[in-house]
């Protein structure tokens, strides 16, 4: 019971912080909007990429959404590191809340921010003519995919953060990780047109599976092969949540 | 509940197998007292407090808070303690009220009591008027009071404060301490704090330990410790310190208890029973011996003198540098 109360309190904390920082939310969606509104239509007019009959802007929409989700997850996974530098993490450790609730609760910050991105980018995609699948089952999967991706990448960033303990060392990391992840995936072009080496890298990139899953559920409306994507995502998220939890002790000391 | 609020036995903490932060610390803190841990930076004060507040596990030894073992009964300890870390423990992009609201929910304060409890701690800490403002706009002293307010939300039995007034101006320091002493006197709250400000410890602590290089140097009431150093001190600025020490040591008749050199300030301290009587004699003797006296003054003993006697300023500084170097190399290795 105290476990759930604490996690809910952390969610409320994040919601209240967002309310005071609307500018930040808006600046974060500028880049994804540029991809959709500028890059998308221009590339679509070339008709150079084989997208299996999906309009090009619709093809890149899941990639753009998830790039944004990945970025905020990696960024807010770090929140806990910043709170280690301040005294907040120390203080939380002395409250009656179980430690796992602290890790999960603070990571929930990234899930909330990720959904904020999704809720802003998707209507814009709709406005410029992207058609999404209005099926409740598909929408449910969309929510699951975004949540797992967000938890996975924030665990990944906490794990990395346990090695580089200061904020300064981590400042540029969001950009440094997310852009290569974005380009080495099926976000803006299909994997099968890539040179073999990049193809191999993409298949090892968790973002590829997230994007494939989101494309299937949000744009195409098929559950075929979804299981592979979801299993891959679950493996990724589990591995890094475990690694982050094991290494978490290093952050405390 | 037992009379002993906090007790430790042979507490040792070694970080990453190399840095010994605590080296066999045994202390006892009574219920209802204000207890200080005094020591230079790097003495192990924060490590000790982090073990007592269940954040870290000791490498060996035992620690009890309110009779509960901090390792095996950590969850029980956490229900009765309030803690204010040395750094920030509030979110500056929320209002004071919202910080208290979030902490109240994290602590699991019953829903129908939350509002009342928050208003109570705000009033007590004189923050009611500022409660709707963002913490970003608060002064350093207001932030500290807000942090103490969050620690009071669960109505703790012991309050742990790590360097509670570090970086505050004298007026803000006094205000924070007025509130803390009121908590101690009115509610009988036990207060355990770390500090490297001698004057603060002297003024507010009922009892204290001096910690240096992870070891307890001395434990007792401030008055008791000052008495143990001696009556009064004659401070001399001279051109030849070693000759001065030598000559003064030869003067047995004056009730001279101790002579030591404070290298940091470049002075010789002579601890005597009655400084006013001793001073003229000391001056005459030194002049006869050819020592030039540049300045002479008299002072009553302070915790500075206690510290100097038991620790010795110079030695601990060297030790600290060594410790910092070791710690840095450990961090570098990751």
């Amino acid at each position: 019971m105290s476990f759930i109360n604490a996690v809910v309190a952390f969610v409320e904390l994040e919601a209240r912080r967002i309310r005071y920082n609307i500018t930040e939310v808006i600046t974060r969606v500028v880049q994804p909007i540029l991809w959709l509104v500028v890059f998308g239509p221009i590339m679509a007019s070339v008709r150079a990429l084989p997208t299996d009959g999906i309009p090009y802007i619709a093809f890149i929409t899941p990639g753009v959404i998830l790039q944004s989700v990945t970025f905020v997850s990696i960024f807010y996974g770090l929140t806990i590191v910043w709170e280690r530098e301040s005294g907040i993490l120390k203080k939380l450790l002395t409250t009656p809340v179980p430690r796992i609730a602290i890790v999960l609760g603070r990571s929930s910050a990234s899930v909330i921010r990720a959904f904020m991105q999704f809720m802003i980018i998707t209507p814009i995609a709709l406005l410029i003519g992207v058609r999404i699948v209005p099926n409740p089952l598909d929408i449910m999967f969309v929510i699951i995919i975004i949540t797992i991706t967000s938890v996975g990448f924030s665990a990944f960033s906490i794990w990395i953060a346990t090695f580089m303990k200061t904020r300064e060392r981590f400042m540029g990391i969001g950009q440094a990780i997310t852009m290569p992840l974005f380009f080495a995936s099926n976000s803006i072009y299909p994997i099968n047109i890539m040179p073999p080496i990049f193809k191999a890298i993409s298949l090892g990139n968790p973002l590829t599976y997230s994007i494939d899953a989101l494309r299937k559920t949000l744009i195409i409306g098929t559950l075929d092969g979804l299981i592979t994507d979801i299993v891959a995502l679950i493996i990724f998220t589990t591995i890094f949540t475990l690694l982050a939890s094991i290494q978490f002790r290093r952050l405390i000391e | 509940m037992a009379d002993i609020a906090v007790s430790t036995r042979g507490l040792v903490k070694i970080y990453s197998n190399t840095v010994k932060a605590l080296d066999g610390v045994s202390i006892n803190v009574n219920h209802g007292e204000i207890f200080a841990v005094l020591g230079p930076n790097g003495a192990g004060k924060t490590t000790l407090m982090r073990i007592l507040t269940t954040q870290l596990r000791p490498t060996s030894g035992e620690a009890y808070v309110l009779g509960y073992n901090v390792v095996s009964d950590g969850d029980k300890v956490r229900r009765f303690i309030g803690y204010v870390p040395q750094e920030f423990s509030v979110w500056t992009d929320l209002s004071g009220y919202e910080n208290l609201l979030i902490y109240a929910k994290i602590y699991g304060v019953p829903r129908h009591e939350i509002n009342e409890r928050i208003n109570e701690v705000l009033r007590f800490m004189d923050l009611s008027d500022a409660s709707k403002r963002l913490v970003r706009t608060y002064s350093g002293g207001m932030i500290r009071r807000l942090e103490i307010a969050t620690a009071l939300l669960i109505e703790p039995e012991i309050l742990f404060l790590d360097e509670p007034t570090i970086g505050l101006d004298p007026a803000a320091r006094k205000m924070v301490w007025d509130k803390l002493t009121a908590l101690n006197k009115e509610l009988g709250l036990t207060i355990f704090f770390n500090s490297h400000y001698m004057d603060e410890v002297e003024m507010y602590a009922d009892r204290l330990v001096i910690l240096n290089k992870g070891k307890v140097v001395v434990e007792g009431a401030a008055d008791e410790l000052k008495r143990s150093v001696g009556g009064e001190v004659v401070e001399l600025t001279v051109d030849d310190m070693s000759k001065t020490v030598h000559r003064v040591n030869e003067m047995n008749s004056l009730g001279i208890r101790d002579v030591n050199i404070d290298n940091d300030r470049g002075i010789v301290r002579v601890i005597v029973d009655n400084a006013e009587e001793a001073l003229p004699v000391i001056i005459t003797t030194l002049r006869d011996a050819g020592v030039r006296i540049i300045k002479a003054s008299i002072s009553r003993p302070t915790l500075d003198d206690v510290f100097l006697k038991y620790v010795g300023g110079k030695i601990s500084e060297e030790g600290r540098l060594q410790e910092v170097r070791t710690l840095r190399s450990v961090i570098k290795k990751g």
Side-chain angles (χ1 to χ4, degrees):
Chain A
M1 193 59 198
S2 76
F3 180 89
I4 295 166
N5 279 341
V7 174
V8 170
F10 285 121
V11 170
E12 182 181 341
L13 164 69
E14 228 32 59
R16 285 178 182 271
R17 297 176 85 186
I18 289 176
R19 223 180 46 182
Y20 289 114
N21 296 299
I22 293 294
T23 344
E24 190 198 305
V25 175
I26 291 165
T27 50
R28 275 193 201 292
V29 293
V30 170
Q31 203 192 351
I33 289 171
L34 289 178
W35 281 105
L36 284 182
V37 176
V38 182
F39 180 85
I42 293 170
M43 285 301 285
S45 67
V46 182
R47 293 174 204 282
L49 295 167
T51 54
D52 283 338
I54 305 167
Y56 187 69
I57 304 177
F59 180 83
I60 67 168
T61 298
V64 170
I65 290 173
L66 284 166
Q67 188 223 9
S68 174
V69 164
T70 313
F71 185 82
V72 296
S73 301
I74 285 176
F75 198 78
Y76 279 93
L78 290 178
T79 311
I80 202 147
V81 182
W82 297 9
E83 288 177 352
R84 170 187 172 276
E85 271 182 63
S86 72
I88 290 176
L89 182 60
K90 288 180 186 168
K91 171 143 177 127
L92 290 176
L93 289 171
T94 67
T95 64
V97 175
R99 290 181 186 200
I100 180 85
I102 296 169
V103 181
L104 277 178
R106 294 316 285 130
S107 307
S108 73
S110 64
V111 180
I112 292 163
R113 305 266 177 174
F115 273 102
M116 288 290 294
Q117 300 294 103
F118 175 71
M119 307 275 266
I120 298 171
I121 299 167
T122 310
I124 290 168
L126 288 173
L127 274 180
I128 59 170
V130 173
R131 296 234 312 270
I132 66 166
V133 182
N135 176 350
L137 184 68
D138 286 316
I139 299 294
M140 193 193 79
F141 273 112
V142 167
I143 292 170
I144 292 171
I145 293 159
I146 290 177
T147 308
I148 300 176
T149 308
S150 179
V151 171
F153 277 100
S154 63
F156 172 71
S157 86
I158 291 173
W159 177 69
I160 292 194
T162 58
F163 297 104
M164 12 177 114
K165 293 181 174 180
T166 64
R167 184 195 299 228
E168 287 76 14
R169 287 195 219 174
F170 227 117
M171 272 320 251
I173 207 99
Q175 207 72 1
I177 294 178
T178 48
M179 285 320 270
L181 278 176
F182 183 58
F183 287 121
S185 76
N186 53 353
S187 52
I188 49 176
Y189 25 68
I191 286 187
N192 49 28
I193 65 162
M194 288 180 176
I197 176 135
F198 288 117
K199 203 179 221 174
I201 294 172
S202 304
L203 287 175
N205 179 354
L207 195 56
T208 300
Y209 300 93
S210 288
I211 293 171
D212 191 55
L214 198 64
R215 194 170 280 146
K216 280 178 178 140
T217 48
L218 191 69
I219 306 292
I220 305 172
T222 171
L223 302 182
D224 283 351
L226 189 66
I227 189 80
T228 319
D229 294 330
I230 291 189
V231 168
L233 284 175
I234 289 174
I235 290 172
F236 161 71
T237 301
T238 310
I239 287 175
F240 282 99
T241 306
L242 284 177
L243 284 175
S245 310
I246 292 166
Q247 291 290 323
F248 192 64
R249 269 186 73 88
R250 291 170 56 122
L251 271 185
I252 299 173
E253 292 229 336
Chain B
M1 197 69 65
D3 283 343
I4 301 294
V6 176
S7 74
T8 71
R9 264 178 258 139
L11 219 50
V12 173
K13 177 70 188 178
I14 300 170
Y15 289 112
S16 310
N17 295 322
T18 44
V19 182
K20 208 170 205 178
L22 293 181
D23 189 4
V25 170
S26 302
I27 56 166
N28 283 305
V29 180
N30 300 316
H31 246 283
E33 72 182 359
I34 300 184
F35 186 87
V37 179
L38 177 66
N41 290 324
K45 304 188 298 286
T46 296
T47 302
L48 174 61
M49 186 169 287
R50 294 190 72 198
I51 289 172
L52 293 176
T53 54
T54 77
Q55 300 171 56
L56 300 179
R57 283 160 177 263
T59 308
S60 65
E62 287 174 343
Y64 296 88
V65 172
L66 300 165
Y68 298 116
N69 185 305
V70 295
V71 176
S72 55
D73 284 328
D75 52 338
K76 292 202 182 82
V77 173
R78 285 189 283 271
R79 256 183 266 151
F80 299 106
I81 61 168
Y83 166 68
V84 179
Q86 189 175 328
E87 308 89 345
F88 261 44
S89 59
V90 287
W91 290 278
T92 54
D93 51 1
L94 293 183
S95 71
Y97 184 90
E98 286 175 309
N99 268 288
L100 289 166
L101 185 68
I102 297 296
Y103 270 120
K105 287 180 179 175
I106 289 170
Y107 278 128
V109 175
R111 214 144 272 265
H112 59 278
E113 287 179 27
I114 285 182
N115 210 28
E116 190 187 330
R117 198 81 70 84
I118 291 176
N119 287 325
E120 200 179 339
V121 295
L122 280 171
R123 219 172 20 246
F124 197 87
M125 286 291 148
D126 272 339
L127 288 168
S128 300
D129 293 340
S131 68
K132 300 279 180 254
R133 270 165 49 198
L134 291 188
V135 174
R136 205 183 286 143
T137 67
Y138 282 24
S139 68
M142 289 168 78
I143 291 177
R144 262 300 185 245
R145 278 184 280 138
L146 178 64
E147 295 186 88
I148 295 168
T150 65
L152 294 178
L153 282 169
I154 53 162
E155 300 175 332
E157 303 229 357
I158 306 181
L159 202 51
F160 288 92
L161 307 152
D162 198 352
E163 300 273 4
T165 62
I166 196 164
L168 297 186
D169 63 64
R173 279 174 73 180
K174 184 171 184 307
M175 177 116 183
V176 166
W177 273 109
D178 285 347
K179 295 300 174 193
L180 290 173
T181 38
L183 283 169
N184 174 256
K185 298 283 170 297
E186 289 168 26
L187 307 174
L189 198 64
T190 307
I191 294 178
F192 182 113
F193 76 103
N194 287 347
S195 184
H196 69 277
Y197 294 125
M198 308 256 180
D199 56 335
E200 185 169 281
V201 172
E202 192 161 348
M203 203 172 322
Y204 301 109
D206 297 321
R207 277 187 338 112
L208 67 131
V209 292
I210 292 179
L211 208 61
N212 190 46
K213 292 192 221 161
K215 285 194 167 101
V216 171
V217 177
V218 65
E219 176 175 356
D223 290 341
E224 211 174 278
L225 293 178
K226 279 187 279 183
R227 229 176 292 134
S228 77
V229 184
E232 294 174 2
V233 182
V234 174
E235 293 187 348
L236 300 164
T237 311
V238 292
D239 62 347
D240 187 340
M241 292 206 282
S242 56
K243 196 173 188 180
T244 305
V245 173
H246 186 69
R247 287 289 165 190
V248 173
N249 268 329
E250 285 173 352
M251 306 165 55
N252 294 325
S253 56
L254 280 166
I256 291 169
R257 297 195 187 179
D258 197 7
V259 185
N260 55 49
I261 293 180
D262 183 345
N263 272 317
D264 291 344
R265 292 167 58 199
I267 56 169
V268 175
R269 290 158 174 261
V270 186
I271 295 142
V272 293
D273 287 336
N274 187 328
E276 281 167 359
E277 280 175 18
L279 185 60
V281 186
I282 291 173
I283 289 175
T284 314
T285 311
L286 289 177
R287 192 177 291 154
D288 290 350
V291 175
R292 201 166 73 86
I293 299 167
I294 298 151
K295 219 166 93 184
S297 63
I298 290 174
S299 67
R300 293 194 32 75
T302 62
L303 281 178
D304 269 302
D305 305 305
V306 176
F307 194 74
L308 201 70
K309 178 184 161 95
Y310 289 103
V311 180
K314 189 77 179 166
I315 301 159
S316 76
E317 283 303 313
E318 277 169 8
R320 158 123 179 98
L321 273 180
Q322 188 56 46
E323 202 173 301
V324 169
R325 265 185 227 126
T326 324
L327 194 67
R328 282 220 185 106
S329 67
V330 169
I331 291 169
K332 253 187 230 155
K333 272 182 240 153

